[in-house]
Amino acid sequence: MHLLFNSVSLVILGRFIEPLVGSGLFITIYLVTGMAGSTASYFFNQEVLSAGASGAIFGLFGVFIAVLLGKLIQPELAKAWGKNIAMILGINLLMGLFLPVDNAAHLGGLVSGIALGYVSLPVIKKRLLSHLLK
């Protein structure tokens, strides 16, 4: 189930975020947030071996949150999407309390994704403007 969630999330988030940031920055964000998730996992769960892409997936959610908070999307739409994202993230973090899922990796990826999303906002704005002018 966890692998299915990650796969579906990657497809959905990737189709939204990759055009906003470009392929190179998308790959960079994915790798950096994945490493941030793994680093958080290591620091908070040193006794557990962990591997996976969950930190990177949550990193993409973080970028999405930064885009929503960066006022690049109509307020009504941003509010609706924000509620949906909050629900998805809440459910996953709650499941991590009861299932053998690494919430430290999730949170490390999410926080680093929000930070990278904010850093990427000028690139996103530029790409959106150039798309609108075409």
Side-chain angles (χ1 to χ4, degrees):
M1 191 64 153
H2 193 70
L3 178 60
L4 178 64
F5 170 79
N6 282 350
S7 300
V8 170
S9 296
L10 179 57
V11 169
I12 292 170
L13 292 167
R15 290 181 61 149
F16 179 79
I17 294 170
E18 193 272 338
L20 292 177
V21 299
S23 298
L25 186 53
F26 180 83
I27 291 168
T28 301
I29 288 169
Y30 188 83
L31 293 174
V32 169
T33 58
M35 288 187 291
S38 294
T39 301
S41 176
Y42 174 76
F43 281 113
F44 290 100
N45 300 313
Q46 291 184 358
E47 69 283 350
V48 177
L49 291 175
S50 177
S54 296
I57 300 298
F58 272 70
L60 296 179
F61 275 109
V63 172
F64 197 108
I65 290 168
V67 169
L68 295 179
L69 295 176
K71 302 188 188 302
L72 300 177
I73 297 175
Q74 295 176 347
E76 313 83 44
L77 190 55
K79 185 176 180 181
W81 285 354
K83 286 180 182 179
N84 289 330
I85 288 175
M87 185 174 61
I88 291 167
L89 294 175
I91 289 169
N92 277 279
L93 292 172
L94 187 62
M95 285 185 346
L97 297 175
F98 302 103
L99 300 173
V101 176
D102 193 349
N103 270 345
H106 291 168
L107 292 172
L110 182 65
V111 169
S112 63
I114 292 170
L116 288 173
Y118 272 109
V119 169
S120 301
L121 284 178
V123 171
I124 295 168
K125 286 179 185 177
K126 183 178 179 182
R127 289 179 65 91
L128 285 172
L129 282 175
S130 69
H131 179 70
L132 289 174
L133 296 175
K134 287 184 179 182

